[in-house]
Each structure stands twice: as structure tokens, then as C-alpha cells.
Amino acid sequence: MKLHWKILIGMGAGVLVGLIVNEEFVVGGPIGRVLESLSFIRSWAILLILPVLGPVGTIFITLLKMLIVPLILASMVLGVARVGDIRKLGGLGRRTFLFYILTTFASVLVGLIVVNVIRPGAGAPELAGSVPEAARRTTGLWDVVLNMIPSNPVEAMANMDILPIIFFALFMGAVLTMIGNRAKPLIDLFDSLNEVMMKMAEIVIKLTPYGVFALLATVVAETGPSIFANLGKYMLTVLIGLAIHAVITLPLVLRFFGGVNPRQYFAKVTPALTTAFSTASSSATLPLTIESVEERAGINKRVSSFVLPIGATINMDGTALYESVAAVFIAQVYGIDLSFGQQVLVFLTATLAAVGAAGIPSAGLVTMAVVLNAVGLPLEGIGMILAVDRILDMCRTTVNVWGDTIGCAVVSRLEKEPVPESIRA
Ligand code: ASP
């Protein structure tokens, strides 16, 4: 059976087990009666399954994370060194950056339109909730920029600070192209490291169906359906926005600028998308994103090894959209009318907050402090939407990764690389 089918079955089974185990989940009718009669399974499941599934999910994420630092280092250094001529890198960098920023803008715009039309916060009750400590510590935008340069690259690697690692790798790759023959041993070393990491990724990827099963079962079991009651309209607003961006905007861009058939491309990158959904982490998904785009879709490696690691860290369309919706929602709940100027500020800061968010779960929730601070909204608003963050995180991370893979295809075309036959539009 094909990997993506196995993964989808794993996801479905995970949701099912999670629902059965979740205490709040009650359905009426015949299905309810069947579930009722299975309640002994439910008690056994709570006792036996959950304590095992939690760690299984964690093992899967940890295995993926284990690959990230060496993979990013090797693939970025090579990505730059392979370009050969630094002037060409300028073109690749500009196109990548332009694609990322324009699509992020588009997604924030969709978010702002949707939240202003639906007005999910109007008349909604104020909810109490705790604000994560990290959000209180998040301050200015300069922090984002300053934190990009590592004072100690080894420390950055040890802490898995991705942006500083990318900065170091870019710099190193660029210098490798300047010193000619003497760089050869190191380039060969990175080449071999890259091959090994990709092989390791391939092996870990075989575990994906089981990993996503465990992760989803745990999430669903822990989040009962009652969270929908108060925040349902807000969630729906975010989801509609994400859907518009993922199903309309991005595929159109892919089709017209990338010359790629969106449906076929979607099938190729499904393993990455489902993993993004289950792990809520772009960084943890990166090994699968690279393998899906390079091996399954056949996009040029010179482009992907540059575009994807950067994308996993700074290109977050879903997060940007979510931040804009959440900020306006919070304002609506508090009865604060945001002026047009303030909404423009939300537009800009949501983009930057998404760039600054790390590719890890809940990162977007934390950097939302930047947006709220900018327009003078209380940080307590973050506490209000905390309860549904995980589910929305899973959805926005999927859109983040979908945006990265599309960026890769489009930039590859703009770099005059041929579009692989199997995905050509
Ligand atoms: N979890 C998201 C990601 O990894 C970031 C966020 O929005 O929290 O892409």
C-alpha cells in the first residue's frame, strides 16, 4: 500500500480511538448505543492505551527532530555551495524571499477580510485563561532580527535555533564557493552527510502512519468537544480563511507561476502535509517535506535544499492568517473597534510575527504578543483562545508546509528548472 494511504488510515484510526476514549464525547442514536455498550473498552482504553500512545507519539516527533539540525546544516551549506556562483544565489534568494513575502501578505489579507465579514468576536463572552509566560517576554521586532545571528553556532545547534543555523550555513556555503579546490573536502563531507541524513529520514518516515495515529489519538482524547461551544465561530473563521488560502490562492499560484498540476502535487506531498497536521511543527516535518518534494515530486535539489529549510522557519502563511484573525477577534470580544490604520498595523505585524515564529507547536500563539502590543490590545486575549490553539495549530501548520512546498515548485520554475513530467500542468 502507498505510504500516504497508510498515513491517512493512521490518522483516521487515531481520531476514532481518541473520540472513543474522550470522556466528553457522547453521541445519540444507534451509534451512541453501540458506544455505550462498549464503555468497558473505554475504561480499559483510558487505563491502557493512552499512557502508551502518548510516548509513542513523542518518540516519533523526537526521531524527526533528531534529524533536523544535521539535515538543515548539510542541505543549506550544499544548497548554497551547489549554486556555485554567488551572484546566482542572489537571484535564487530574491525569488524565494519575494514568493514567501507575497504569499504571506495574501494570506493575511484573506484572514482580515474573513474576520471582518464574519465578526466571530462580536457579542462573544470574555473567557478567562492563562497567558503563556513566553508571550509576556516577547518584545520587539528587532529581537527577531538580532536573534538570527548566532554568537556561537554550536550553541545554536544545541538549542535547535533554526534561523541562526541557517544564517551560519548560508555564510559557510557562500565562502565554500570562494576558495576553490581547497573547499572540496568539506563540500564532499557535507554531501555525504546530506545523503546519510536523507536515508535516515527515509527510514523514520516509514514510521509515520504509527506516529500520526498515536499523536492524533492523544490530541483528540485530550480535547473534548465542549471547546467548540464558545470558540466555535472563531475557529470556523480561522478555518475558512485557511481553506481559502490553501485551496484557492496557493493552487492558483502553483498552477500559473509553477506550471504544476495542484492536485498531482498535493498527492506527492501528502506525507509532509499529514505529518505537519499531526505534529503541529514545520521544523519537525522538514525531513518529510524535503523527501516529498525532492524524491516524490522530483523538484530540483539545488532549489529545494535552499528554499525548504528557509521556508520551514520563515514562511508561515497559515500562522500569519491565524494571527490576524485572532487579534481582530480579541478586539471584537473586548468591544474595541480597530480603525483602518490599526488593521494595517495588524497586517504588517502579523506577517512579521509569523516570520519570527519558530516552526514548533504554539509558536504562533506566543509571537502574537507582538501583534497585540502593536495595536494596544491586552495580552490576556491570548489566554482566551488558548483552549483551541492546538487544533488550529495543526491546521495552520499544514498550510505553512503546503506554502513551503508550493514555494519550492514555483521558485524552481522561475529558476528555469524543468517541471517534472509527473506533476506538469
Ligand atoms: N506550529 C507552527 C509551525 O510549526 C507555528 C505556529 O503557528 O505556531 O509551523
Side-chain angles (χ1 to χ4, degrees):
M1 198 192 285
K2 286 249 173 70
L3 179 68
H4 58 263
W5 288 117
K6 281 196 200 158
I7 298 178
L8 288 175
I9 292 173
M11 290 174 90
V15 172
L16 206 66
V17 169
L19 284 178
I20 293 179
V21 177
N22 188 283
E23 287 180 352
E24 272 185 47
F25 193 74
V26 204
V27 276
I31 300 182
R33 278 197 293 282
V34 173
L35 282 181
E36 190 82 359
S37 64
L38 291 178
S39 66
F40 68 97
I41 298 190
R42 185 181 273 195
S43 354
W44 275 103
I46 294 173
L47 270 177
L48 292 177
I49 302 183
L50 280 189
V52 177
L53 287 186
V56 169
T58 311
I59 289 175
F60 174 62
I61 296 194
T62 313
L63 281 172
L64 286 173
K65 280 193 189 159
M66 173 183 85
L67 306 175
I68 298 172
V69 170
L71 190 64
I72 289 189
L73 187 69
S75 102
M76 292 265 3
V77 170
L78 271 187
V80 178
R82 270 193 198 131
V83 172
D85 183 347
I86 289 300
R87 273 162 305 186
K88 276 199 216 140
L89 184 68
L92 181 59
R94 252 197 317 279
R95 287 182 187 113
T96 306
F97 182 75
L98 208 66
F99 176 90
Y100 282 162
I101 202 76
L102 290 181
T103 46
T104 306
F105 277 159
S107 81
V108 184
L109 197 63
V110 169
L112 282 177
I113 293 173
V114 173
V115 73
N116 278 297
V117 170
I118 302 183
R119 295 186 61 78
E126 262 180 50
L127 301 167
S130 53
V131 181
E133 256 320 296
R136 294 198 188 278
R137 280 197 309 269
T138 306
T139 43
L141 295 169
W142 270 109
D143 291 344
V144 175
V145 179
L146 289 178
N147 289 339
M148 272 175 52
I149 306 169
S151 54
N152 176 350
V154 180
E155 188 190 9
M157 288 179 217
N159 293 334
M160 286 204 10
D161 289 335
I162 311 283
L163 271 184
I165 300 176
I166 290 182
F167 180 88
F168 182 73
L170 283 178
F171 198 173
M172 189 172 190
V175 170
L176 282 177
T177 63
M178 292 174 187
I179 55 176
N181 256 346
R182 307 251 314 273
K184 181 126 190 337
L186 201 53
I187 294 181
D188 287 344
L189 180 76
F190 278 119
D191 202 8
S192 155
L193 178 63
N194 195 39
E195 282 298 312
V196 175
M197 295 318 297
M198 284 311 293
K199 189 72 201 170
M200 286 172 80
E202 211 183 294
I203 295 169
V204 174
I205 285 167
K206 296 222 167 76
L207 303 175
T208 314
Y210 312 100
V212 297
F213 166 73
L215 287 169
L216 281 185
T218 325
V219 172
V220 175
E222 279 167 6
T223 3
S226 68
I227 51 162
F228 290 93
N230 282 320
L231 292 164
K233 211 167 161 197
Y234 156 70
M235 292 176 77
L236 204 67
T237 311
V238 176
L239 293 179
I240 290 174
L242 289 177
I244 293 177
H245 190 67
V247 179
I248 301 174
T249 317
L250 285 176
L252 282 178
V253 173
L254 178 64
R255 172 75 185 70
F256 290 107
F257 294 95
V260 169
N261 179 318
R263 213 172 285 154
Q264 275 157 9
Y265 197 59
F266 178 81
K268 299 281 185 205
V269 300
T270 317
L273 300 182
T274 47
T275 306
F277 183 76
S278 319
T279 60
S281 167
S282 304
S283 300
T285 309
L286 186 61
L288 272 108
T289 316
I290 295 182
E291 144 66 61
S292 298
V293 168
E294 287 181 359
E295 309 299 332
R296 290 170 54 96
I299 301 284
N300 180 279
K301 289 188 185 169
R302 173 182 73 88
V303 175
S304 62
S305 58
F306 180 85
V307 176
L308 290 177
I310 295 186
T313 335
I314 68 165
N315 180 46
M316 298 197 180
D317 297 359
T319 300
L321 185 147
Y322 151 86
E323 306 231 5
S324 66
V325 172
V328 178
F329 168 75
I330 290 169
Q332 290 169 351
V333 173
Y334 286 120
I336 301 167
D337 251 330
L338 294 179
S339 66
F340 181 74
Q342 277 174 311
Q343 300 231 13
V344 172
L345 210 54
V346 170
F347 178 85
L348 294 174
T349 49
T351 305
L352 287 165
V355 170
I360 55 174
S362 290
L365 190 73
V366 171
T367 59
M368 201 152 67
V370 174
V371 186
L372 297 183
N373 276 336
V375 286
L377 288 167
L379 276 190
E380 276 55 41
I382 297 184
M384 219 160 55
I385 51 172
L386 195 66
V388 290
D389 188 62
R390 179 66 189 199
I391 296 188
L392 294 181
D393 198 0
M394 293 158 69
C395 300
R396 64 185 188 249
T397 307
T398 311
V399 177
N400 291 347
V401 171
W402 179 224
D404 297 340
T405 58
I406 289 182
C408 200
V410 172
V411 172
S412 167
R413 171 93 179 285
L414 297 177
E415 285 282 305
K416 310 260 178 330
E417 296 294 345
V419 179
E421 186 90 47
S422 64
I423 53 170
R424 199 170 294 159

